Amino acid sequence: MKIENINTFGELKQSGYKSQSIKDELRYNLREKIKTGKSAFEGVHGFENTVIPELERAILSRHNINLLGLRGQAKTRLARKMIDLLDEYIPYVEGSEINDDPFHPISRFAKNLIEEKGDETPIKWLHRSERFSEKLATPDVTVADLIGDVDPIKAANLKLSYADDRVIHFGMIPRANRCIFVINELPDLQARIQVALFNILQEGDIQIRGFKLRMPLDMQFVFTANPEDYTNRGSIVTPLKDRIGSQILTHYPESIAIARTITEQEAKLDKHQSELVYVPNLAKDLLEQISFEARDSEYIDNKSGVSARLSITAFENLLSTAERRALKAGADHTTLRLSDFMGIIPAITGKVELVYEGEQEGAATVAQHLIGSAIQTLFPVYFPKIEKLERPDAKTPYTDIVEWFFTESGFELLDDATDEEYQKVLDDVSPLSALLKKYQSKLDEKELYFMKEFVLWALVEYKKLSKDRFAQGYEFKDMYGSYISKL
């Protein structure tokens, strides 16, 4: 007989079912996963040796948890993944507002029903997917929202005195009994509301409008907080912090490889879009490097953080830019271009908090600066370093390219050029092909033209060539010719 087919308290007893607290339940199921070598937080990358071991230790210790970190560090995702550590089903007294355990009822309703019907008490089964409750802390949250309040309509309908505890309407927390309850952005919760959580966390009491109810709620609390909030909008009151068992610090991806994995997992791409646009590996690395540059940029407030969502939405924008270009050209396939990166600027500007210097530069200019910085950082990985100071007569790997631009007066790369036109323009720069043949001889054919354009953009960043934007695209010229044209 399947356990979820048991319908009465008597049948539940006969089945040999043993109830346990949610913290013991999480602990037991985590122990089994650790023994078998299975990941308890599958799909969360970059935390394998840092955050996840600390989180597992907190669960094994039966602690309430505070995940402390900047925005976009998978705090809420970690909390939601804890659902996988719950039993598939648990029994509760049918009709109970607070998921009463038949073996340990805590509400008057459940106690009275079990006393009246005994083994015939009807029970229902709660799936683990329904055992997760989440509340975003905002300044307008009240004690009534979280804990409960007296319901005058219920009192009138049942013809009860306000002194009768049956007139209470339970808030979100009691209704999440035997569940994981998450409060996001805890510092945004007013101090007086945080105080209301003291007894729930420590003693299990709840107090509503003068009613002191001894209700040992069985809950796993998970809080999330941003350290910036401690000074800007609010703080976690000290006695509440003292009652939270473990505080775990989250962080951003520590390598481009991890960041790429996260972006590719989270980006919402249409199947046709993925088939239409080929994305070179260098383009994926460059996209992630932009976020790394943003976190170190003098124009951006690093205390605010740069969310992993920047890379995810930028990747979506990047493919859409190439897709739009291909659709306009009537092509059924295209390869991403470096000039397509200008399409990700809207994804960057909305996700960074600028300091005063950044505000003076302007959000779009800062975004372009980040793209340029990412190109400068990655360029020495593929080609010899471009020195800032060189003797005038010194021969470098890039001399022939610079001289070609001096002789040929440069060229234009149009935004809507077809792939054939785009490739022809780059192939005409013969020293560019020679450079790639020497330093990137094993490069895949699909990656070739992105790499060629990458070299040109890098030479611009290192002040060896000039690049000017006009309505339909970009014009690349030698630095000397650029100065003459401006006179």
Side-chain angles (χ1 to χ4, degrees):
M1 182 179 185
K2 286 186 178 181
I3 197 167
E4 58 267 30
N5 291 335
I6 295 172
N7 296 314
T8 66
F9 190 22
E11 291 174 356
L12 186 65
K13 289 177 182 176
Q14 290 173 7
S15 72
Y17 178 88
K18 301 290 182 186
S19 69
Q20 58 183 340
S21 72
I22 186 170
K23 286 185 168 70
D24 284 330
E25 188 183 330
L26 290 165
R27 172 182 159 80
Y28 175 80
N29 290 329
L30 176 59
R31 279 169 51 89
E32 294 304 307
K33 281 190 178 285
I34 292 173
K35 283 180 186 177
T36 56
K38 293 179 181 177
S39 172
F41 297 92
E42 197 171 336
V44 179
H45 305 284
F47 290 168
E48 292 82 0
N49 301 313
T50 53
V51 176
I52 289 176
E54 291 188 352
L55 189 53
E56 289 177 343
R57 287 192 286 269
I59 293 170
L60 291 173
S61 301
R62 304 180 183 87
H63 283 176
N64 292 313
I65 298 162
N66 182 29
L67 296 171
L68 180 65
L70 297 172
R71 55 184 171 170
Q73 290 186 349
K75 300 186 294 295
T76 305
R77 172 170 288 240
L78 284 170
R80 288 176 179 167
K81 292 298 289 183
M82 286 174 65
I83 296 172
D84 297 337
L85 293 174
L86 295 171
D87 291 342
E88 187 174 7
Y89 288 98
I90 60 165
Y92 69 97
V93 176
E94 184 177 357
S96 169
E97 292 180 274
I98 59 172
N99 307 318
D100 275 286
D101 182 347
F103 292 99
H104 305 287
I106 59 175
S107 71
R108 178 191 277 213
F109 167 83
K111 288 176 180 177
N112 290 347
L113 190 64
I114 291 172
E115 187 178 338
E116 178 190 338
K117 297 196 174 183
D119 285 353
E120 294 304 311
T121 303
I123 63 167
K124 290 282 187 181
W125 292 86
L126 192 67
H127 190 259
R128 60 182 165 215
S129 62
E130 300 175 274
R131 297 178 64 196
F132 182 87
S133 227
E134 189 174 359
K135 178 63 178 172
L136 176 62
T138 54
D140 62 335
V141 173
T142 65
V143 173
D145 294 333
L146 293 180
I147 313 298
D149 203 349
V150 170
D151 185 350
I153 297 175
K154 184 186 285 188
N157 287 342
L158 297 177
K159 297 180 180 178
L160 296 172
S161 161
Y162 280 6
D164 192 316
D165 62 13
R166 284 174 291 177
V167 303
I168 293 173
H169 173 76
F170 292 113
M172 291 185 70
I173 291 177
R175 288 175 180 274
N177 184 38
R178 304 172 75 200
C179 299
I180 297 169
F181 192 84
V182 178
I183 298 182
N184 282 314
E185 308 301 340
L186 180 60
D188 284 351
L189 206 60
Q190 290 185 47
R192 66 184 181 85
I193 313 300
Q194 292 184 37
V195 169
L197 300 176
F198 288 0
N199 276 21
I200 294 175
L201 286 177
Q202 198 67 39
E203 291 85 13
D205 294 342
I206 62 169
Q207 296 183 23
I208 301 173
R209 294 282 184 180
F211 292 104
K212 184 173 181 182
L213 306 174
R214 179 62 183 164
M215 294 185 72
L217 296 173
D218 177 23
M219 303 184 69
Q220 172 66 53
F221 280 97
V222 181
F223 305 101
T224 73
N226 187 322
E228 182 198 16
D229 295 342
Y230 287 2
T231 54
N232 283 3
R233 293 199 292 265
S235 64
I236 302 176
V237 297
T238 304
L240 182 58
K241 280 196 284 186
D242 185 52
R243 285 166 166 79
I244 299 171
S246 291
Q247 178 168 279
I248 298 169
L249 302 181
T250 58
H251 57 81
Y252 288 119
E254 294 173 343
S255 71
I256 285 181
I258 292 170
R260 272 182 60 171
T261 301
I262 294 169
T263 299
E264 288 171 9
Q265 174 182 284
E266 299 299 320
K268 296 178 175 62
L269 303 178
D270 181 84
K271 177 188 173 185
H272 301 293
Q273 194 174 45
S274 301
E275 292 173 350
L276 177 65
V277 183
Y278 175 76
V279 184
N281 282 314
L282 172 55
K284 293 177 181 178
D285 288 349
L286 189 61
L287 182 79
E288 302 303 337
Q289 186 62 38
I290 290 169
S291 292
F292 282 76
E293 297 293 335
R295 289 170 193 141
D296 292 329
S297 173
E298 61 182 340
Y299 297 121
I300 292 169
D301 182 4
N302 56 20
K303 291 180 182 177
S304 175
V306 177
S307 169
R309 285 182 282 270
L310 187 151
S311 297
I312 296 164
T313 54
F315 187 57
E316 293 165 350
N317 256 8
L318 190 59
L319 264 71
S320 296
T321 303
E323 179 187 30
R324 179 179 179 274
R325 171 171 48 74
L327 292 172
K328 288 183 75 173
D332 56 6
H333 188 272
T334 191
T335 299
L336 196 75
R337 303 172 189 174
L338 210 157
S339 48
D340 292 331
F341 271 74
M342 293 301 106
I344 72 172
I345 289 176
I348 298 174
T349 54
K351 290 187 174 55
V352 293
E353 294 289 331
L354 302 180
V355 295
Y356 176 76
E357 292 81 359
E359 296 285 359
Q360 295 297 105
E361 290 287 327
T365 302
V366 170
Q368 291 179 34
H369 174 76
L370 294 176
I371 295 170
S373 297
I375 291 169
Q376 281 185 304
T377 300
L378 291 185
F379 187 74
V381 176
Y382 298 90
F383 297 98
K385 187 178 179 182
I386 301 175
E387 299 295 339
K388 290 185 178 180
L389 297 175
E390 298 168 347
R391 295 196 316 271
D393 58 341
K395 181 79 172 176
T396 73
Y398 312 102
T399 301
D400 290 344
I401 298 174
V402 174
E403 288 180 351
W404 184 93
F405 276 88
F406 181 78
T407 305
E408 300 294 331
S409 301
F411 65 74
E412 294 178 351
L413 273 180
L414 301 178
D415 293 340
D416 295 332
T418 63
D419 283 359
E420 292 76 15
E421 292 167 343
Y422 168 76
Q423 292 169 11
K424 182 180 184 307
V425 169
L426 292 174
D427 284 340
D428 285 345
V429 188
S430 51
L432 199 53
S433 299
L435 181 78
L436 264 66
K437 189 173 182 180
K438 182 175 182 179
Y439 294 104
Q440 293 292 327
S441 56
K442 296 181 180 178
L443 195 66
D444 190 295
E445 181 92 22
K446 291 180 177 179
E447 315 261 332
L448 183 64
Y449 289 96
F450 187 90
M451 188 68 79
K452 284 186 175 183
E453 194 181 356
F454 177 64
V455 172
L456 296 181
W457 282 64
L459 289 171
V460 170
E461 291 301 321
Y462 283 100
K463 305 292 189 290
K464 301 300 178 185
L465 295 176
S466 73
K467 172 174 62 69
D468 293 311
R469 176 72 188 173
F470 63 98
Q472 288 83 33
Y474 288 96
E475 183 179 26
F476 288 83
K477 295 188 289 188
D478 71 287
M479 292 295 291
Y480 183 67
S482 176
Y483 289 138
I484 291 176
S485 67
K486 290 178 181 177
L487 294 175

